Amino acid sequence: MLSEALEHLVRGIVDNPDDVRVSAKTLRRGDLLEVRVHPDDLGRVIGRGGRTARALRTVIGALATEGPVRVDVVDVDRR
């Protein structure tokens, strides 16, 4: 549910919504949601000073019911 909500929010922000990918992983310290977007949209998802990414983390954290959730925006050029 959280990955679908995050994907929906990110698709509304970017210019290339078809390139949005959210993958979920379970780690010892909680869940991890990785967001991958088109390289041209990376700045839109992060925002000025990280404000947009912080807002996305806040919303997903508020929706989380089973413990901590980390949201990472992955730069596809580096991985």
Side-chain angles (χ1 to χ4, degrees):
M1 177 187 122
L2 291 176
S3 59
E4 291 91 6
L6 181 59
E7 186 172 347
H8 178 74
L9 290 170
V10 174
R11 282 181 184 260
I13 295 170
V14 299
D15 288 332
N16 301 300
D18 294 336
D19 292 338
V20 174
R21 301 283 178 260
V22 176
S23 60
K25 297 178 185 176
T26 302
L27 304 174
R28 277 185 283 139
R29 297 186 324 189
D31 292 335
L32 169 68
L33 299 176
E34 286 187 344
V35 180
R36 296 177 188 273
V37 296
H38 192 276
D40 294 340
D41 292 328
L42 191 60
R44 284 182 174 268
V45 175
I46 295 173
R48 284 195 182 161
R51 279 190 246 165
T52 305
R54 193 174 328 122
L56 289 171
R57 288 182 181 112
T58 301
V59 170
I60 296 301
L63 291 174
T65 58
E66 297 180 11
V69 177
R70 266 185 45 209
V71 176
D72 286 345
V73 180
V74 179
D75 186 357
V76 291
D77 289 339
R78 288 196 283 155
R79 282 194 178 183

